[in-house]
Every structure is written in C-alpha cells, then in structure tokens.
Amino acid sequence: MRLRVLGAAAGGGFPQWNCGCPGCRAVRDGSRPATPRTQSSIAVSPDGDRWWLVNASPDVRTQLADAPALHPVGDRGTPLQGVLLTDAEIDHTLGLVLLREGGGVHLHATAATHRTLREGTGLLPTLERFCPVSWTEVVPGADHDLGGLSYRAFDAPTAKHDRFGPPRDAGGTATGSGAGRVVGYRFTDTATGRVAVYLPGVQALTPEVLDEIAGADLLLVDGTTWHDDELVRLGLAAKTAHDMGHLHVGGPGGSLDVLTALDLPRIVYVHVNNTNPILLEDSDERAEVEKAGVTVGHDGLELEV
Ligand SMILES: [Zn+2]
C-alpha cells in the first residue's frame, strides 16, 4: 500500500495564523530552520490509483494540489474514493465541505462521529445542502474491505471533555454510546499482509492501544507536544496535551520512550502542534527523536508499506 502525509501539523497548522510561539515565529521570520506544515490528514491507497483520505483538513485544497497522485483523472474524475474519519474535530472535517465539487462525498465514520457531525457541529447538514453524502458506518473491531486494502478501526482513549460528544456520566466517563468517538485505523494490504496504523489523536498508550499497534510495519502517531504541559508553560492555554486528548513525546513516560521500546520498523510523528520544539530542525528535541530512529512527519512525505 502507499501512504502520503498530506498535512503533518495539528489544528492551526505551522505557523498558526494567530500564534507567536517560538516555533511559529521561527517559521515566519526564518530565524531558525523550520518547515511550514498544513493541518493533519493522510491519503492511503492499495495501488496508487484509488485513494482514500483519512480526515479532511481545512487545507485539503492545497494538499490535493500538491499531490500528483491525487490529481484529476480525465475532465472531471478523481482518484478519491472516500474519506475515513478518526473523529469529528473541526480540523479533521472542515475540508469535507471543500470536496463538494466532486459530485458527492462518501464518508466512513463511526456512529458517534456521524452523530456529532449531524447534531453537534452541524457540519453534515451543511455539507448535504451542497452535495450528496453517503455513509459507511465504521464499527471498531470490525474489518472493512476497500479492495486490495482493508481497515479495522479501534477505539482511542480520549479526553473527558467534549462539548459536542455524547452524554457522560457524573465522573466524566463517556456512556456506552461514547464508544467510537475517537478511533485509530489499522490498514492491511490484502495482497501482502503488511500493516500501517494511523493514530493522530490518542490520550494514552494503554495496553489495548499497544495491542493494536503491535506488529505494524509503519506507525503514524500523535506527536502533538513535547511536554505534556507545553501550552501551559508558554502561556497559550490552560490545558495539557492529555486534557486535549493527545500525547506528549518527550521525557519519561513520553511516547518516544514507550513506542521505541516496541521495536517497530518505522515510526512517524504526525499531528505535531506548532509549539512542539521537534518542528525546529536545530533543536535538541528534534535531534533526540532522530537519534531514536523516528521520523518527524512533513507534508508530502510518501511511504510505501
Ligand atoms: Zn505557535
């Protein structure tokens, strides 16, 4: 299978329009080496001819323009077969509206994500005013065949707070209907059996999540921040990465330590927030990631599994 990182940054991109953090400043003024990145999304294909997006970011128009394999076929054709969603975050779904010219959008989403898009953010009714939308329900744990490629979604632990999410009990735990609110995808090439896992949003690397990652030939994983309290330290937000349903990379218990111990052939950080110093190419943190044999994902990164 082939994969292309369309956007390697978290929500807001790199630089973010209203952010003056050290990384965003560096990429604007060139004072330190840093490469701009668009918002989080990948494309995946079994054969290079048929492609599926995983998430549709607000930057989808430029992401498709920059990807020759995703250019139109004939006068008005597209290699795009559909869009798989990991969740209903606006940064992962706003691009659906920008795909309206395609004559219809085919969504793969869990029931929880579908419900949030319809009743919470209202993005689905908006999209349906512009083009037909069809839906394949993604059921965590169940295999779904795309022809040459199959996927199995799995539940990713997420933050308790979700203003659009399904009901929670008094302790903040999502009730039964909360399952499927955030998922990762495990893709298998049906010809070779090789596996790629895409997990751009996960709050904790629990034993269940590590089981889903096990044996993958490629892991594309949440690299949101370096420190868990990075946004707090910078005075940009009151929430930690964990509070927002994401991982931190550095330090004891950070994802770099945990994931490199798994001995996977290839790990790529995606969904990297603009505050994360691994985006600064001369930083100690970037050097530490690279020394561990892990890639900091960038837009346009092509991977074959
Ligand atoms: Zn910033």
Side-chain angles (χ1 to χ4, degrees), residues 285-298:
E285 293 85 353
R286 173 64 161 262
E288 190 175 333
V289 169
E290 289 179 347
K291 191 173 165 217
V294 174
T295 303
V296 178
H298 59 83

Side-chain angles (χ1 to χ4, degrees), residues 16 19-21 23-24 236 274-275:
Q16 179 172 320
C19 188
C21 79
C24 287
L236 299 176
N274 50 66
T275 54

Side-chain angles (χ1 to χ4, degrees), residues 94-176:
L94 196 60
L96 292 171
V97 180
L98 306 178
L99 297 173
R100 70 191 184 283
E101 297 96 343
V105 175
H106 187 80
L107 283 182
H108 297 251
T110 63
T113 290
H114 191 260
R115 187 172 50 245
T116 299
L117 290 177
R118 179 167 300 290
E119 298 168 12
T121 67
L123 195 128
L124 194 52
T126 301
L127 179 61
E128 286 168 343
R129 290 192 181 101
F130 296 99
C131 71
V133 182
S134 51
W135 174 42
T136 294
E137 182 181 348
V138 171
V139 179
D143 289 304
H144 185 88
D145 186 18
L146 295 172
L149 183 70
S150 70
Y151 69 73
R152 189 178 80 218
F154 57 92
D155 272 304
T158 186
K160 288 177 182 172
H161 177 73
D162 175 1
R163 65 200 151 121
F164 295 127
R168 293 175 296 275
D169 66 22
T173 306
T175 54

Side-chain angles (χ1 to χ4, degrees), residues 17-300:
W17 70 277
N18 64 340
C19 188
C21 79
C24 287
R25 281 205 309 273
V27 80
R28 267 189 212 103
D29 66 18
S31 56
R32 290 177 68 181
T35 306
R37 284 167 170 78
T38 61
Q39 296 169 88
S40 183
S41 171
I42 65 164
V44 59
S45 171
D47 50 21
D49 294 326
R50 294 171 302 130
W51 289 85
W52 282 263
L53 297 187
V54 190
N55 296 330
S57 97
D59 300 314
V60 68
R61 183 181 167 277
T62 52
Q63 292 172 343
L64 295 180
D66 290 344
L70 288 153
H71 286 177
V73 178
D75 287 343
R76 242 345 135 70
T78 173
L80 260 192
Q81 309 295 307
V83 182
L84 282 63
L85 297 176
T86 59
D87 54 65
E89 286 297 319
I90 199 78
D91 300 322
H92 291 160
T93 57
L94 196 60
L96 292 171
V97 180
L98 306 178
L99 297 173
R100 70 191 184 283
E101 297 96 343
V105 175
H106 187 80
L107 283 182
H108 297 251
T110 63
T113 290
H114 191 260
R115 187 172 50 245
T116 299
L117 290 177
R118 179 167 300 290
E119 298 168 12
T121 67
L123 195 128
L124 194 52
T126 301
L127 179 61
E128 286 168 343
R129 290 192 181 101
F130 296 99
C131 71
V133 182
S134 51
W135 174 42
T136 294
E137 182 181 348
V138 171
V139 179
D143 289 304
H144 185 88
D145 186 18
L146 295 172
L149 183 70
S150 70
Y151 69 73
R152 189 178 80 218
F154 57 92
D155 272 304
T158 186
K160 288 177 182 172
H161 177 73
D162 175 1
R163 65 200 151 121
F164 295 127
R168 293 175 296 275
D169 66 22
T173 306
T175 54
S177 59
R181 215 170 69 197
V182 180
V183 297
Y185 285 96
R186 187 178 166 98
F187 294 98
T188 302
D189 184 310
T190 46
T192 65
R194 290 171 72 84
V195 169
V197 171
Y198 185 54
L199 184 58
V202 59
Q203 190 177 33
L205 294 168
T206 58
E208 293 77 16
V209 170
L210 295 178
D211 276 351
E212 298 288 349
I213 291 170
D217 298 286
L218 168 68
L219 171 65
L220 297 145
V221 66
D222 184 335
T224 299
T225 62
W226 181 262
H227 298 288
D228 187 39
D229 62 350
E230 187 166 295
L231 276 78
V232 182
R233 290 183 190 206
L234 289 165
L236 299 176
K239 287 183 180 178
T240 65
H242 186 84
D243 291 338
M244 295 185 290
H246 289 289
L247 289 180
H248 68 282
V249 172
S255 64
L256 189 63
D257 265 5
V258 175
L259 294 172
T260 50
L262 302 179
D263 227 16
L264 301 174
R266 184 135 198 214
I267 300 172
V268 178
Y269 278 121
V270 292
H271 198 280
V272 185
N273 197 55
N274 50 66
T275 54
N276 191 330
I278 64 175
L279 293 178
L280 293 165
E281 291 156 22
D282 61 355
S283 68
D284 293 343
E285 293 85 353
R286 173 64 161 262
E288 190 175 333
V289 169
E290 289 179 347
K291 191 173 165 217
V294 174
T295 303
V296 178
H298 59 83
D299 295 13

